[in-house]
Amino acid sequence: MDLAAIRRTYRRYAGHYDMVFGPVFHPGRRMAVETANQRPGRRILEVGVGTGLSLPLYRKDIQVTGIDISPEMLAKAREKVAEQQLENVEALLEMDAEALEFEDNSFDVVVAMYVASVVPNPDRLMAEMRRVCVPDGEILIINHFASENPVLRGLERTLKPLSKMLGFHPDMALDALPDEPDCPRVGVHRANIFGYWKLVHYRNGPAANGADVVDSQVGPD
Ligand SMILES: C[S@@+](CC[C@H](N)C(=O)[O-])C[C@H]1O[C@@H](n2cnc3c(N)ncnc32)[C@H](O)[C@@H]1O
């Protein structure tokens, strides 16, 4: 899917997104934000912030910036920020997650919820998330990954030709995301009771740095 197709899809979704994708995605949002909220005073970037459903969950002493490629989704997020007086939301900007307009090492935590299987190049998304994240910072991805169950896997393959219409790739493998010595996964957790969505937790730096990022998620693996 190219950026124009993504913009078109989310222009269509924006008006009813919260009703359709609000509750079903919320356990994952809560799980990611709980992890981000573990320390005070952090600067957080949320890529693909969408209509901003996660924004009220961040603790108030954390500064949050959100970016998204869809102006219509961002407009909904801005409404929430105004209505709920979310003063810790620093900025909501129209931007491509694969070409972030921030300096290197700008954020303590970089989060992408339900975005990795939407962007055209997950590798570039990850590379950009790492670039703008401080060394030893945290990167949190919530996403559905291709099922290991053969029946579900078959269904996901059947849905693949509909990716453009759905607005995401239903069969993205967990291995499409890197797991490298200088950006190791410190945890992969089920984000809802069926484990359909998972939280993938990275530390942005080699373990040998002695970083103190601890994966203390309590959700079931
Ligand atoms: C499934 S929605 C998830 C929205 C939100 N994170 C949530 O939890 O509801 C995917 C979002 O990613 C955005 N998106 C897709 N590709 C993008 C890109 N290359 N750069 C920035 N945002 C993108 C879409 O516009 C959409 O708002």
Side-chain angles (χ1 to χ4, degrees), residues 134-162:
V134 296
D136 293 339
E138 291 175 76
I139 295 175
L140 303 169
I141 309 250
I142 294 273
N143 220 79
H144 166 66
F145 299 101
S147 176
E148 280 156 25
N149 175 312
V151 178
L152 289 177
R153 185 97 181 92
L155 181 67
E156 288 160 0
R157 286 207 179 107
T158 314
L159 290 173
K160 194 174 172 160
L162 301 179

Side-chain angles (χ1 to χ4, degrees), residues 3 6 10 17 25 29 46-50 53 67-70 73 95-98 113-115 118-120:
L3 288 187
I6 294 170
Y10 285 92
Y17 184 88
F25 283 174
R29 292 187 193 100
E46 199 180 310
V47 304
V49 67
L53 284 162
I67 68 107
D68 203 283
I69 202 70
S70 163
M73 296 288 274
M95 201 181 288
D96 180 3
E98 293 186 13
M113 304 189 205
Y114 311 105
V115 180
V118 178
V119 297

Side-chain angles (χ1 to χ4, degrees), residues 169-181:
H169 299 280
D171 65 339
M172 177 178 159
L174 177 59
D175 287 345
L177 294 179
D179 183 14
E180 292 163 2

Side-chain angles (χ1 to χ4, degrees), residues 64-86:
V64 188
T65 296
I67 68 107
D68 203 283
I69 202 70
S70 163
E72 291 82 6
M73 296 288 274
L74 280 172
K76 295 282 175 194
R78 291 192 182 107
E79 279 171 25
K80 280 192 192 70
V81 168
E83 279 163 18
Q84 300 181 40
Q85 299 177 14
L86 303 175

Side-chain angles (χ1 to χ4, degrees), residues 10 19 36 77 126 140 201 212:
Y10 285 92
M19 204 177 64
M126 268 304 285
L140 303 169
H201 185 179
D212 61 348

Side-chain angles (χ1 to χ4, degrees), residues 34-70:
E34 251 171 48
T35 305
N37 274 346
Q38 278 171 12
R39 292 190 204 153
R42 291 168 136 183
R43 283 198 77 208
I44 299 207
L45 173 66
E46 199 180 310
V47 304
V49 67
T51 62
L53 284 162
S54 58
L55 296 175
L57 304 174
Y58 289 100
R59 51 192 283 173
K60 299 302 169 223
D61 56 4
I62 271 178
Q63 299 298 307
V64 188
T65 296
I67 68 107
D68 203 283
I69 202 70
S70 163

